[in-house]
């Protein structure tokens, strides 16, 4: 390793692929090395045994290309044959780089212990314990969530869910914790919870762990017991590994989301371990596993320290966004009475109308682009994160029942997936490559239109999706509440943010600063919803799915919608309610068929 080398570290598992790009510099006043962290990110899962080689190539191809070395360490990459196969895939992507491959246990050890001896306890969605003494390694756990991984987020969550149902079956009582779970998942009852679990994957179930910890913190003794049981199992594994390695006072380093996020778990583990290994030295890891992967790729005998490199340009760019500015009309917001607050909010809505009116030409052009695409067999995809993503999914979900269109015709894509619809998914919007990969997974092609929705105009997930959609030949539209978005610069990496000049259309909804600074669910959200309603409704009108101002292809899938269809037929045929209903029944509740017959007369 020499100064100036660019090293890529990748740690992949069954829930995500974390990566970091670092650049080495010689240590100053230090016999070791320093490495500046240039970029970091997350991509979809890449367990070597569970991910096909083709899918693995697709994921790894999203990573930076200009590198000198790479350490790729994936769950399931255990045997020497596995390592050779993974290295061959990597050499196809980085033919000129020095490649080191192995298991995610290896990168975890490097991140937590560097070159020292000790034991690493990993508790994320799954769990494992790995110990090292000289050239000998011992392992416990890590068999996957179905057969093992006790003490991980999945284990804690599934135990809590089973307890809810067991309590219901035995005592017919509703645990307060059950209400917390239903609220967290936006479900209504236990039957819906069972159906959700039957289709949820490991990661979705594991994300309920914070609800378990919250309940324990609030004094729920049964949740405390579940957490204590998870800590006990991890301690048993740790003690077994220490015994096999003959370590009486091991250094024990904790890694993974449960230990980093919840001090309660760290304290529970530390307390239990001290009973049988009183001389153990327990600490939480300071480095992420992907940096351990970079350390192994560096193949440095000396200690390497990692330092973040912040881009002041990125920080200044976000801070300058109009949506991040303070609104002078609401600086005393907390001092207003209810009536004053209402009047201020209502008055502020005039900026929404002004923004929409000023963008009328752009909105009309968007309707034309989308209509032409749908008429030619293409699709419309909304892409957003947070509030913007939820608004896109909302508008897309209303198209089939309102206009009788296929659910594939208009689709909503939100960073973080379904979970992000009802609660925040940390960091989901920051992954440019994840947005790009989503376009591949949706099989975006030249006939489609992709509308990126981002109030600031800078959301990496959205810009990554637009960049990939553009490269695939699709029409691309950016809907933003930051008029300065035209100044976005192209970072030049795969799936990087696309400059506004490369898009087919930018719709700037300049609603101004929010009453609550940065809360774009307010005016920005209102303007965005109206804009999406305009575009999708305008396109459906252009496709002939409206008769006068009536729904011509209404899906009569509920009592309310059947009633609406009957009233439409009664009005168009100048008949009474019962006659209109009989006419619909005779035509299989096909409203379009009846309207078509009227038009021919």
């Amino acid at each position: 390793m020499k100064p100036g080398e660019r090293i890529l570290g990748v740690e992949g598992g069954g829930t995500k692929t974390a990566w970091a790009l670092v650049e080495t510099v010689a240590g100053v006043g230090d016999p070791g090395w320093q490495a500046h962290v240039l970029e970091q990110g997350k991509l979809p899962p890449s367990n070597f045994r569970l991910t096909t080689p083709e899918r693995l190539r697709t994921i790894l191809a999203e990573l930076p290309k200009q590198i000198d070395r790479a350490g790729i360490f994936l769950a399931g990459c255990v045997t020497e044959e596995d390592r050779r196969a993974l290295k061959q895939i990597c050499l196809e992507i980085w033919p000129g780089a020095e490649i080191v491959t192995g298991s995610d246990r290896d990168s975890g050890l490097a991140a937590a212990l560097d070159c020292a001896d000790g034991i690493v306890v990993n508790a994320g969605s799954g769990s494992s314990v790995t110990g090292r003494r000289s050239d000998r390694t011992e392992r416990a756990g890590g068999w996957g969530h179905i057969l093992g991984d006790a003490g991980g987020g999945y284990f804690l969550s599934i135990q809590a869910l089973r307890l809810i149902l067991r309590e219901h079956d035995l005592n017919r009582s509703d645990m307060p914790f059950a209400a917390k779970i239903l609220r967290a998942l936006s479900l209504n009852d236990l039957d819906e919870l069972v159906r959700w679990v039957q289709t949820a994957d490991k990661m979705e179930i594991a994300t309920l762990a914070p609800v378990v910890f919250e309940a324990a913190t609030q004094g729920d003794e049964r949740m405390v017991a579940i957490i204590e049981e998870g800590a006990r199992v991890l301690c048993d594994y740790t003690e077994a590994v220490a015994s096999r390695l003959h370590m009486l006072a091991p250094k024990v380093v904790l890694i993974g989301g449960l230990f980093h996020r919840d001090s309660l778990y760290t304290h529970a583990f530390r307390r239990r371990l001290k009973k049988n290994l009183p001389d153990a030295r327990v600490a939480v890891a300071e480095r992420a596993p992907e940096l351990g992967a970079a350390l192994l790729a560096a193949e440095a005998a000396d200690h390497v320290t990692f330092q973040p490199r912040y881009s002041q340009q990125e920080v200044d760019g976000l801070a300058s966004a109009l949506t991040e500015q303070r609104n002078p009309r609401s600086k005393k917001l907390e001092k207003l009475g209810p009536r004053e607050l209402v009047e201020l909010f209502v008055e502020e809505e005039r900026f929404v109308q002004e923004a929409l009116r000023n963008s009328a030409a752009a909105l009309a052009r968007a309707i034309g682009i989308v209509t032409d695409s749908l008429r030619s067999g293409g699709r419309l995809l909304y892409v957003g994160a947070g509030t913007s993503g939820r608004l896109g999914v909302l508008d897309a979900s209303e198209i089939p029942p309102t206009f009788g269109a296929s659910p594939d015709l208009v689709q909503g894509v939100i960073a973080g997936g379904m979970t992000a619809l009802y609660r925040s998914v940390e960091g989901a919007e920051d992954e440019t490559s994840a947005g790009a990969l989503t376009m591949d997974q949706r099989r975006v092609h030249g006939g489609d239109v992709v509308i990126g929705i981002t109030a600031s105009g800078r959301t990496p997930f959205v810009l990554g999706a637009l960049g990939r959609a553009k490269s695939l030949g699709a029409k691309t539209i950016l809907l933003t509440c930051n008029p300065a978005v035209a100044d976005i610069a192209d970072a030049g990496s795969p799936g990087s943010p696309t400059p506004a000049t490369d898009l087919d259309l930018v719709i700037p909804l300049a609603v101004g600063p929010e009453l609550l600074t940065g809360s774009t669910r307010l005016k920005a959200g209102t303007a965005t919803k109206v804009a999406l309603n305009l575009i999708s409704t305008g396109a459906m009108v252009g496709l002939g799915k409206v008769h006068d101002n009536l729904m011509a292809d209404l899906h009569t899938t509920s009592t309310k919608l059947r009633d609406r269809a009957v009233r439409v037929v009664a009005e168009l045929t100048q008949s009474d309610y019962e006659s209109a209903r009989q006419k619909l029944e005779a035509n299989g509740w096909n409203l379009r068929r009846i309207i078509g017959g009227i038009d021919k007369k």
Side-chain angles (χ1 to χ4, degrees):
M1 185 179 70
K2 57 182 181 291
E5 285 192 334
R6 290 165 62 89
I7 302 176
L8 178 66
V10 179
E11 188 261 354
T15 55
K16 68 178 184 304
T17 301
W19 63 273
L21 178 66
V22 305
E23 184 176 58
T24 59
V25 294
V28 180
D30 188 327
W33 292 82
Q34 290 182 0
H36 289 151
V37 180
L38 303 179
E39 297 179 66
Q40 285 182 276
K42 292 181 177 63
L43 289 168
S46 58
N47 183 300
F48 187 74
R49 295 289 176 86
L50 303 179
T51 309
T52 66
E54 293 76 18
R55 175 64 175 160
L56 194 54
R57 287 187 187 91
T58 299
I59 293 172
L60 296 180
E62 293 298 320
L63 295 168
K65 297 295 192 300
Q66 300 303 314
I67 63 172
D68 300 294
R69 296 171 180 267
I72 314 297
F73 294 85
L74 308 182
C77 184
V78 178
T79 68
E80 191 59 39
E81 183 180 352
D82 292 338
R83 294 187 179 94
R84 284 196 298 268
L86 178 56
K87 185 173 183 177
Q88 186 57 46
I89 292 174
C90 294
L91 287 172
E92 295 174 15
I93 300 171
W94 303 285
E98 292 289 331
I99 307 291
V100 180
T101 59
S103 166
D104 61 338
R105 286 183 185 262
D106 302 326
S107 53
L109 276 175
L113 298 173
D114 207 341
C115 298
D117 293 339
I119 300 174
V120 176
V121 183
N122 185 356
S125 56
S127 66
S128 65
V129 177
T130 310
R132 179 176 63 202
R133 185 175 183 184
S134 298
D135 58 352
R136 183 181 171 190
T137 301
E138 286 288 340
R139 301 176 176 86
W143 299 108
H145 66 288
I146 296 177
L147 297 178
D149 282 7
Y154 177 88
F155 170 86
L156 300 179
S157 300
I158 209 71
Q159 295 301 317
L161 294 175
R162 287 171 178 164
L163 177 60
I164 289 173
L165 298 181
R166 187 161 62 247
E167 181 66 22
H168 177 76
D169 287 337
L170 292 176
N171 302 313
R172 280 294 183 265
S173 60
D174 294 325
M175 295 175 59
F177 179 73
K180 293 180 183 292
I181 288 292
L182 293 176
R183 183 177 67 248
L185 295 174
S186 295
L187 300 176
N188 297 321
D189 52 45
L190 294 185
D191 286 333
E192 289 188 8
L193 176 61
V194 171
R195 288 196 292 273
W196 178 84
V197 171
Q198 289 171 342
T199 58
D201 60 24
K202 171 186 176 182
M203 184 58 179
E204 289 173 322
I205 291 176
T207 56
L208 294 175
V211 186
V212 177
F213 281 99
E214 177 190 5
T217 302
Q218 295 172 352
D220 188 322
E221 293 183 1
R222 288 191 257 195
M223 295 305 109
V224 171
I226 288 174
I227 290 172
E228 290 288 340
E229 173 62 13
R232 183 194 66 77
V233 173
L234 292 177
C235 285
D236 288 346
Y237 287 167
T238 303
E239 292 163 16
V241 168
S243 176
R244 291 198 289 267
L245 292 174
H246 305 291
M247 303 173 81
L248 298 178
K251 179 180 181 180
V252 179
V253 183
L254 311 180
I255 65 174
L258 293 192
F259 289 127
H260 282 277
R261 187 189 311 113
D262 299 292
S263 59
L264 182 65
Y265 210 37
T266 303
H267 294 325
F269 177 87
R270 194 191 305 267
R271 186 176 60 254
R272 279 191 165 272
L273 189 66
K274 287 292 183 180
K275 292 181 179 179
N276 294 328
L277 283 176
D279 295 325
R281 295 157 290 150
V282 181
V284 177
E286 297 179 358
R287 288 193 300 217
E290 58 268 28
L291 295 179
L295 179 61
L296 292 173
E299 297 181 335
D302 296 318
H303 179 71
V304 178
T305 58
F306 296 93
Q307 298 178 347
R309 176 181 287 180
Y310 299 104
S311 169
Q312 192 61 42
Q313 181 180 359
E314 292 180 5
V315 175
D316 292 342
L318 182 58
S320 66
L322 186 60
T323 51
E324 293 298 318
Q325 304 306 303
R326 293 188 66 184
N327 190 326
R329 295 176 293 279
S330 63
K331 284 191 175 180
K332 301 296 182 181
L333 193 62
E334 82 282 7
K335 298 185 183 300
L336 299 181
R339 182 58 184 264
E340 294 173 306
L341 191 70
V342 170
E343 290 177 352
L344 177 60
F345 266 71
V346 172
E347 174 63 22
E348 201 71 11
E349 288 302 303
R350 65 188 172 87
F351 293 101
V352 172
Q353 290 194 18
E354 289 179 11
L356 291 164
R357 190 173 293 111
N358 291 338
S359 292
L363 288 166
R365 186 178 168 199
I367 291 174
I369 292 173
V370 173
T371 303
D372 290 344
S373 172
L374 300 184
R375 186 179 288 126
S376 301
R379 302 168 298 168
L380 168 62
L381 290 90
Y382 297 129
V383 182
T387 297
S388 296
R390 295 181 190 105
L391 289 171
V393 172
L394 173 64
D395 194 70
S397 67
E398 293 290 347
I399 299 303
T402 304
F403 299 106
S406 164
D408 293 331
L409 190 67
V410 180
Q411 302 179 24
V413 178
I414 182 171
M418 184 183 71
T419 302
L421 289 175
Y422 46 83
R423 69 176 186 270
S424 174
V425 176
E426 296 178 8
E429 68 179 53
D430 297 329
E431 305 303 329
T432 302
S433 296
L437 276 175
T438 301
M439 296 296 94
D440 293 335
Q441 292 164 346
R442 297 288 179 122
R443 300 187 181 277
V444 169
H445 55 77
D448 295 332
V449 178
V450 175
I451 299 181
I453 314 166
T454 160
S456 70
R458 289 174 164 83
T459 305
F461 181 90
V462 175
L463 299 178
L466 287 172
R468 179 57 54 82
K470 185 72 175 178
S471 72
L472 295 170
K475 295 290 187 181
T476 53
I477 299 172
L478 179 63
L479 184 64
T480 177
C481 296
N482 181 18
V485 73
D487 296 330
I488 295 173
D490 187 1
S493 59
S496 64
T498 301
T501 52
D502 282 355
L503 300 168
D504 293 287
L505 179 63
V506 176
I507 305 174
L509 299 174
V511 295
E514 299 288 4
L515 290 177
L516 183 62
T517 304
S519 182
T520 53
R521 67 187 182 89
L522 302 179
K523 287 186 302 184
T526 302
T528 296
K529 184 180 188 305
V530 175
L532 298 183
N533 290 162
L534 270 169
I535 294 169
S536 59
T537 304
M540 294 300 114
V541 170
L543 293 178
K545 291 185 171 293
V546 172
H547 180 87
D548 289 338
N549 61 350
L550 301 172
M551 302 176 189
D553 288 311
L554 176 68
H555 270 187
T556 53
T557 53
S558 69
T559 301
K560 180 186 74 172
L561 295 179
R562 284 194 293 272
D563 174 70
R564 182 182 298 165
V566 171
R567 286 185 284 106
V568 167
V569 172
E571 180 175 343
L572 292 178
T573 60
Q574 297 296 302
S575 59
D576 59 69
Y577 187 93
E578 187 56 37
S579 297
R581 182 180 180 86
Q582 291 175 2
K583 186 181 290 291
L584 274 166
E585 289 177 344
N587 284 273
W589 288 93
N590 190 322
L591 181 59
R592 162 64 67 180
R593 184 183 302 162
I594 296 174
I595 292 176
I598 295 172
D599 289 340
K600 291 178 181 178
K601 294 181 179 179

